[in-house]
Structure formats: C-alpha cells, structure tokens
Amino acid sequence: MRRFKFLINLVLILFSSFILAQGPKKHFDEMSYKELKALYHNNIKDVKKQLFYANAYLSKANKEGNSIEKARGWYLLSLLCSGEKAIRYLDSTIYYSKNLNDMKYPAYAFSRKAYEFVYKSNYKEAIDNFLIAEKIAKKNNIDFYYHVKYSIAVLRSEQLGEVNEALKLYKECFNYYKEKDVRESKYSYAYQDVLFGLADAYKTLHQLDSATYYNKLGYKESKLTKDFEYNTLFVLNEGANSVEKKMYNTAIDSINKALPRIIFYKNSENTLASYYYLGKAYNGLGKMDKAAENFIKVDSIYNKTKKITPEFTSGYLFLISYFKNKNDKENQLKYLSQYMFIDSLLQTDYKELSKKLEKEYDIPNLILEKENLIQDLTNGKNRFYWEIGLLLSLVIITTSFGVYQYKIKKRQYSKFEKLIYESANSEIETNKPIKKEIKSIKSGIENIGINQELVGQILEKLNHFEITKGYLSSNITVQSLSDAFETNSKYISKVVNTYKGKSFIQYINDLRVEDALKSLKEDNKLRKYTIQALAIEFGFNNSESFSTAFYKKTGIKPVYFIKQLEKINEA
C-alpha cells in the first residue's frame, strides 16, 4: 500500500534517431550537456522530444569520446522505456561508468535495473542489483545509499513478506533522515517514504500503537511540506490500522475521507486497498452486504489492473462464504475460481500465500468444492452420491493424515534419541588436531591454491575461534572474521569450504546449534527460555533463523527438542 512511480511509455528509439538525423545537427553539437539535459527534463510530457534530446546527448558524448557522458546518455534513454530494452540501456550505462568513481553512476543504473526486475517479479536479480547499488553508493553518495536501502526494505516487506527484516532497514533509514532538514525538498519525500514504510510494517506486525505513531508523524510532515498525495495515504493507512484495532466506524470514516483523493490521483493500487479495508470494516460491524459490495470492487480493480498482493486476497474467502450462504452457486464458483487462479499466479512470487491458504482455506477442500459446484451447475447430479463420495474422501484423507502424523512423530523421536545418545566422537570439531587435519586433506591444498603454511595458520585461528566460542557473537561475518584474523575473506571461505566441508554461514550456524544442543542438555534453566531468548543466547538474530538452522542440522525443531528433554527430566 504505497505510492509508486510508474515508468514512462515506450517509444521507438529508431524513430527519434531519424528525427535527429533531419534536425539542425550543428545546433545541438554546439549545446552543452547541461543544456541538452535541461531540454530533456523540460519536455517531461512529450516522450518524442525527450527521445530526440536523449539521442542528441548521446551523439555528442560519442563524438567527444566522453565515457561518463555516454553513461548519462544511455541512462536518459533507459528512463523512456521498460523491460529488456531498459535493462540493455542500463547495462551500457554501467559499462561506460564503471571504475570512474562518479557520485551517481553506475549506482543509479544498478538501482534502476533492480526495479526493472521487480516489475518482472524476478526478485533474486532485483536484490542482487540493489545490493551492488548499495555497495557502490556507500563509498561516495551516502544519500543514495539510504535511498537504495529503503528500496531493499520495500522489496523485502511487500514482495517477499520479510517484514521483520524490512523493519530493521526502515529504522536505519529513519535514524539517518531524522538528522537532516526533512522539510527541504531534498529530503522530505524520502523521509515521508520511510515514515510510511515504518507505519506499514508495524501494522503488518500488529504493533498497532507504533503504526499509529508513525502515521501521525507522516501526516504532520506531509501537511507541512504540502505533499497532498502522501497526506492522503497516511490517512488511508491509519484507517487500515483502525480496522486492525477493531475501531471499525473510525476506520470507515478515515478511508472514506481518503478514497476520493486517491481516485483523483489515479492510484489504482491504493484504491483497491481502500475498498479492501472498507470491506473488512463492514464485515467487523456485521454488515455483510456492504462488506461484499466492497470486496467485489476489489475484484473489479484486479480485473482491470491484474495487480494484487497476498495482503488483499482474503476478501475472496469472504465472497466465497457469502455467496455460499446465499446459495448463489454461480457467484460462489466465480470467486472460488478467481481466488484459485490468483493463488496459482502468486505462489511463485509470494512465500506466505501457501501458508495463508493452508491456514484459512484448505486447498483440497477448495478443489473438491469447485468440482462439486461445476457439477451442480451443469448437470445437477444426485447430491446424495456426492455427499457419500465426499464423506469417503474425508475418511481417507483423515486416516492418511493420521498415519502421516504418526510417522512424522516417530521419525522426530528417532532423531531426538540419536541426538541424546550420540557418542562423544560427534562433539564440535574444535578438538581435532590442526596438523593432522592438514595432512589428511593434503590434496585439497593444491585444489584451493593457498599456501600450506597460511592454511595451517587459518585453521589454528579457527580452532581458537571455536574453543573461545567466538561464533556466539550475533554480528559475525566472513569479513569481520577475516579482519580479526588479519587475512583475506576469500581465504577463510575456501579453507572453511575445504576443511570443514560446508559454507561459512553453515559452519557458523552448525557451531551455534551444536553449542545449543550441549547447553540445553546440561542446563535445565536454559530450557525455560523462550525461543527468541535462546536465539539471542546462541548468536542468532531472531527465533526464525535459530529454528531454521536447528532444524537443518538436527532434523527437528528446538521446541520439540526442549519438550522431549523436559519429559526425560520429569521421568
């Protein structure tokens, strides 16, 4: 739920080249880059003219052999198109500006490329390009560095569902901008962006008072800087937050104030969001017809734009149930089919939707219900046989599920027993002699291309690192360890890969998990800690990363491990 900047429509480059060839070439050759760039920006609503001036700019740069101006020329062209063509132009910008240490390029180009990949739902490439842009900008353009950091936060929050991770980035940006003059145009928009990101993240995490705080702060700032569109969005976002607080009448009042202005700004994404939260508010008040009316508008906007995020899909669940209760099978089938279609599109892009489906509306039941509706609508087959078939299916599914759960529990307990009764030989590898380890994998030394003496030094330092439990530091990275070892981070990675048989991250996580296993067995006080507290105790940043690493190492979750230890202790 955010104000996005849309790309300008694509126009043929060849057409503009033809115009340029016919124009007064000498006149434009005599212009400065600053003048050509001003002409480009002064014709923001005339794409043909912008193409003309961008090509004139690039032609001048090519004629003079000026690399940085070539980079800028290609960047100007990239702003006028999208998709693969834009990416090709941006690659040209990167090619001509690399190693020039310019304040803007190639950082701007990598950031723009990342957005192009976002529009293509290629989030891996988007993240890669954002990270490169961030790294470059950190050296010579700290303002743009935080601009990119904010972009990464938006991607993680809205596209990947990683809201906790995004919140940390928003806070970093907030701490940077609050030291600036946020009423100046240079920083006001970026600051309000961050305030909105914080409010939206806290709303998603159901920390509603914090969301209200940042919505109010954003409302105040946008009013002072006369950013009327963002002012409207803060009103809308607080309306959505009021829905989560179950203050339904307040929510309806806020959203109805914001909606006309959002429609005026032709912001289809937030128009959809407005109708969605109105639907939720009316549902909370028990006004089912009004709720259905608004959720139907959500579907109508989706049909026009073909854009929706998992946040707004639960309205379809309401419509399916609503029309089922009215015995309106035609509309029930319509919204059931639409919901399943959207699910099929989003599952590859959004991690959380499959969990949402399992929790709120089991997929097998959706399929069975859809087939039944089609059957009833087309040939009206006997309901009795359908019910018998469904009953048998449920019996089979329930039995199969029971057997499946039994096998899982048995397998989990088997893994738990192995962890409890494993021999002393499976302890942390810090006790292995370094020289013996080097000799036993001598062939590996030749493969990784590192001097044997240096390998020995690194292994000795790793041994000390393991003995002193340096891995319990939550901010340990291969770079920080290489700084501490006074060596190259690539050497550490290669040594860990070869002699530990795993990646650096896996190496650190395995050490932490092994330490957790040993400590939890020996210290019953630790078993009283929450998973979050245990995560911090053993060097992880959050409970999710701790649970994931624990499961990857042991095959069971830490909650299960602790529970079984307590049972043994009680016995």
Side-chain angles (χ1 to χ4, degrees), residues 419 422 427-428 431 469 471 511-524 526-527 538 550 561 565:
L419 289 171
E422 63 186 355
E427 289 180 0
I428 299 174
N431 297 324
K469 297 189 177 184
Y471 50 80
L511 287 172
R512 291 169 173 171
V513 171
E514 287 167 1
D515 195 68
L517 288 168
K518 185 173 182 296
S519 300
L520 287 168
K521 288 179 194 175
E522 296 173 355
D523 189 349
N524 60 359
L526 276 177
R527 299 199 289 267
F538 297 112
F550 196 99
F561 181 72
L565 283 175

Side-chain angles (χ1 to χ4, degrees), residues 99-160:
N99 303 323
L100 294 182
N101 201 32
D102 186 78
M103 274 190 67
K104 293 184 177 180
Y105 304 102
Y108 277 31
F110 278 113
S111 179
R112 275 291 320 286
K113 266 186 77 175
Y115 276 111
E116 290 298 333
F117 284 118
V118 169
Y119 302 145
K120 291 156 66 74
S121 298
N122 187 343
Y123 301 125
K124 182 183 181 301
E125 291 289 343
I127 282 288
D128 288 345
N129 280 275
F130 274 136
L131 291 175
I132 295 171
E134 184 184 43
K135 183 179 179 181
I136 295 170
K138 191 174 184 180
K139 295 178 182 177
N140 56 11
N141 192 338
I142 199 67
D143 281 345
F144 192 66
Y145 168 75
Y146 280 98
H147 171 82
V148 177
K149 189 180 289 290
Y150 167 80
S151 298
I152 294 171
V154 173
L155 176 60
R156 297 192 74 167
S157 175
E158 298 192 358
Q159 270 69 40
L160 303 182

Side-chain angles (χ1 to χ4, degrees), residues 23 46 55 68 91 130 147 162 165 180 191 223 233 281 305 313 348 362 364 418 563 568:
D46 191 332
N55 274 296
I68 192 61
D91 283 337
F130 274 136
H147 171 82
E162 299 173 353
E165 291 80 356
K180 306 294 180 182
Y191 180 57
K223 198 164 187 178
L233 292 182
T305 63
T313 56
T348 55
D362 190 40
K418 184 179 178 182
K563 184 178 178 181
I568 290 174

